[in-house]
Amino acid sequence: MEFPEELRYTPKDEWVRQQDGEADIGITDYAQDELSDIVFVDLPEPGASFAKGDAFGVIESVKAVSDLYMPVGGEVLARNERLAEEPELVNESPYGDGWLIRVRLADPTELDDLLNAADYQAQLSSD
Amino acid sequence: MSTETQQTPSELKRLPLQQKHIDAGARMMPFAGWNMPLQYEGIVAEHEAVRQRAGMFDVSHMGRVWVRGSGAAHQIRAVSTYDTSRIPLGGTHYSLYCNEDGGIEDDVFIFHVGDDRWFVVHNAGNAEPDAARLAAATDGTAEDVGRETVMLAVQGPEAVAAVSRVLGPAIDQLKPRTCTEIEYNGETLLLSRTGYTGEDGAEIVMTPATGAALWDAFVDAGVTPAGLGCRDTLRLEAALPLHGNDIWPETTPYQARIGWAVTLEDGAAFTGRDALESESATPPKRRLAHLKLLDRGVPRPGYSVRDHEDTEIGTLTSGAFSPTLRTGIAMGYLPREYTDIGTRLAIEVRGQRIPAEVVRRPFYRRQQPDQESA
């Protein structure tokens, strides 16, 4: 399983890739493997704003429904429109074509609370 | 994201082939008191393997009881809804155990294996009361072999060819829904052309040692291990009810639209007969309907079904994303006036109303060989 060094992670298995005050958000390789066979992703419209920890969407696999939580607060700038037709991209490429939303960070210091790849992996293995 | 963690308490019953499943990469989960393989490669991949090629399920968690003796057919008939005298030697049939109110205590599969030799398969969750029911009906002569045998189901368009390569041509000579006994490695196996997936295939009952050998042989023959996850999506596409979800002791065969598993014409006395006879004369007010979603979304058991005025008219008993149809499919009990084919309804999926339509069952029907050339 892959956990890229340049990303930041939450204990609830989301990742954040920040660049110039914006951030892409997705779910980790571990999360997609646990869910397996993702068949539906419900994401917010651009313009919606969420605080850190808010539920912003839902991801459904054949076997389960899971809420998605904001790793950081911000306004939604874009959502991955391809997932409407190809939700399996989240399984195939969780850090690439399977990204979920792009946000404008409300408070970039919230990134400091997130886990680095090593700490996230350590937390997974301690579960 | 939040994903539930799976626990495997030590009191769960172990399948005799548990190590085979773990070696094959199974993700295990508790089901009806057993530690069962949920999936290996993935639910959709296994679902497609069964629909397009061949998949193999370990269904040893199901209850299995032999009933033998000259009174066997009558003893089974006294506690079940289908007339056993209509099941010829080598035949099998679906049947029900009902209570005195006509409610479904379990749905069962009856095999007429030999002269005065019958075999009955029960759902895992009801295996103990069902075995006790047959023991009571047979003065204790029924033999519960659920814990000392293994049952494998090989299912899919290539299943019979794979079984034939491993076990010989006996399966080719079996018509659908018939059974026989064959000799294999000095052991007598029960072999039937039956299953619970909507596909052609075989079910085999044998000792654990032979079960382990056949598991490996089927894998070598190209059969894909398949778990409970795809067993559920496969049976739902085939519109086969699951006891505990779609049928339970407060539902009747007529409400569940499996009245074809009830024989009244022979006049035989059986548990629930009086209630079923009076219900058969008047159509039930509510009955099981089959729904297909017309927009994106995944229906799940417990979700609300609503009419055009947004009034709740029922809840789903089963629901899933259909890997074959690439859409949401579901079943639930609705007032009869809403169960005509083509009726437009809505299913509430997390606060949203997703349009749905009552459709003909099954959701999926396999192509018959004689239809492929047409």
Side-chain angles (χ1 to χ4, degrees):
Chain A
M1 241 173 239
E2 273 187 74
F3 303 100
E5 291 290 331
E6 70 273 19
L7 304 185
R8 290 296 171 267
Y9 299 87
T10 72
K12 290 183 172 173
D13 309 309
E14 286 94 9
W15 58 258
V16 179
R17 178 187 285 121
Q18 71 124 347
Q19 194 172 23
D20 303 330
E22 297 178 4
D24 286 350
I25 293 170
I27 66 168
T28 67
D29 200 6
Y30 169 81
Q32 71 77 20
D33 184 66
E34 279 289 300
L35 283 169
S36 74
D37 296 319
I38 290 161
V39 295
F40 182 75
V41 186
D42 194 8
L43 297 173
E45 305 258 4
S49 283
F50 297 93
K52 177 181 174 174
D54 282 355
F56 70 89
V58 166
I59 195 158
E60 298 210 29
S61 68
V62 168
K63 67 181 184 198
V65 189
S66 292
D67 286 318
L68 297 159
Y69 299 102
M70 291 292 275
V72 289
E75 180 194 342
V76 179
L77 299 173
R79 60 180 179 181
N80 186 349
E81 299 290 349
R82 285 182 70 189
L83 298 182
E85 292 298 329
E86 301 170 272
E88 63 274 15
L89 288 173
V90 180
N91 292 121
E92 292 163 7
S93 174
Y95 306 113
D97 290 343
W99 65 280
L100 300 176
I101 58 171
R102 176 168 299 159
V103 300
R104 180 178 292 117
L105 294 171
D107 175 4
T109 66
E110 286 177 347
L111 291 167
D112 301 339
D113 302 334
L114 301 179
L115 303 169
N116 64 30
D119 291 344
Y120 174 65
Q121 273 183 274
Q123 174 236 255
L124 284 182
S125 53
S126 70
D127 271 356
Chain B
M1 272 285 310
S2 57
T3 45
E4 74 267 50
T5 50
Q6 286 160 10
Q7 293 187 320
T8 52
S10 54
E11 63 267 27
L12 287 176
K13 292 183 276 245
R14 285 170 54 110
L15 294 167
L17 304 189
Q18 175 166 295
Q19 196 57 45
K20 293 282 179 203
H21 304 306
I22 291 166
D23 292 347
R27 193 172 288 179
M28 305 296 285
M29 66 169 288
F31 176 80
W34 290 81
N35 192 29
M36 293 295 293
L38 169 68
Q39 62 177 75
Y40 305 83
E41 187 185 345
I43 292 172
V44 172
E46 293 159 30
H47 182 108
E48 288 171 351
V50 172
R51 285 277 179 259
Q52 294 160 18
R53 299 181 300 280
M56 164 170 54
F57 302 86
D58 183 348
V59 291
S60 306
H61 62 308
M62 301 191 80
R64 291 181 293 288
V65 177
W66 277 106
V67 182
R68 302 185 184 91
S70 58
H74 276 101
Q75 289 163 339
I76 295 169
R77 173 57 171 150
V79 294
S80 60
T81 58
Y82 190 74
D83 177 9
T84 48
S85 76
R86 295 187 182 190
I87 308 174
L89 193 63
T92 72
H93 210 277
Y94 181 74
S95 187
L96 305 165
Y97 295 157
C98 284
N99 53 41
E100 293 293 356
D101 298 325
I104 303 167
E105 295 287 328
D106 200 9
D107 63 338
V108 308
F109 218 76
I110 298 174
F111 299 71
H112 189 179
V113 180
D115 284 325
D116 299 328
R117 295 169 58 247
W118 298 71
F119 193 74
V120 190
V121 175
H122 301 136
N123 279 297
N126 302 320
E128 285 177 25
D130 286 352
R133 180 187 306 263
L134 286 180
T138 60
D139 297 325
T141 62
E143 185 191 4
D144 183 350
V145 295
R147 298 302 299 275
E148 61 218 52
T149 57
V150 159
M151 184 167 178
L152 296 179
V154 185
Q155 303 278 294
E158 296 174 8
V160 165
V163 172
S164 181
R165 280 203 296 285
V166 172
L167 289 180
I171 187 69
D172 300 295
Q173 287 145 25
L174 281 184
K175 293 197 176 81
R177 295 177 298 281
T178 65
C179 66
T180 190
E181 285 176 306
I182 63 166
E183 296 301 315
Y184 180 79
N185 276 0
E187 178 181 332
T188 304
L189 314 187
L190 174 56
L191 174 69
S192 60
R193 196 149 176 178
T194 52
Y196 185 60
T197 59
E199 296 296 335
D200 194 5
E203 292 178 300
I204 309 153
V205 181
M206 65 221 123
T207 62
T210 299
L214 286 189
W215 176 273
D216 291 340
F218 289 135
V219 168
D220 291 344
V223 179
T224 303
L228 282 185
C230 75
R231 192 167 167 82
D232 193 51
T233 51
L234 289 160
R235 69 91 194 166
L236 181 56
E237 286 183 349
L240 299 169
L242 173 62
H243 196 267
N245 275 48
D246 311 300
I247 50 179
W248 60 90
E250 285 74 40
T251 60
T252 71
Y254 301 111
Q255 292 164 355
R257 299 165 77 179
I258 46 179
W260 52 271
V262 180
T263 316
L264 297 172
E265 299 78 17
D266 63 340
F270 64 90
T271 312
R273 184 192 168 97
D274 293 345
L276 291 172
E277 196 161 10
S278 70
E279 194 188 341
S280 72
T282 48
K285 291 191 173 65
R286 295 175 77 81
R287 63 175 185 167
L288 198 62
H290 301 77
L291 297 164
K292 189 164 132 181
L293 266 63
L294 302 176
D295 204 346
R296 262 189 279 276
V298 184
R300 309 269 181 191
Y303 284 9
S304 172
V305 183
R306 301 188 166 257
D307 69 6
H308 61 285
E309 291 176 332
D310 203 35
T311 302
E312 181 172 283
I313 56 170
T315 55
L316 300 181
T317 53
S318 282
F321 175 82
S322 159
T324 307
L325 305 174
R326 309 289 301 170
T327 188
I329 57 174
M331 300 197 274
Y333 289 91
L334 301 179
R336 190 180 186 84
E337 59 270 29
Y338 292 98
T339 59
D340 290 339
I341 306 300
T343 304
R344 291 295 186 98
L345 298 166
I347 294 172
E348 184 181 345
V349 178
R350 298 184 317 275
Q352 295 177 44
R353 271 51 170 177
I354 310 291
E357 187 177 70
V358 177
V359 297
R360 215 171 287 283
R361 61 178 172 170
F363 298 100
Y364 162 87
R365 189 190 299 276
R366 75 186 155 98
Q367 285 233 318
Q368 302 293 330
D370 58 338
Q371 290 174 349
E372 279 164 7
S373 56

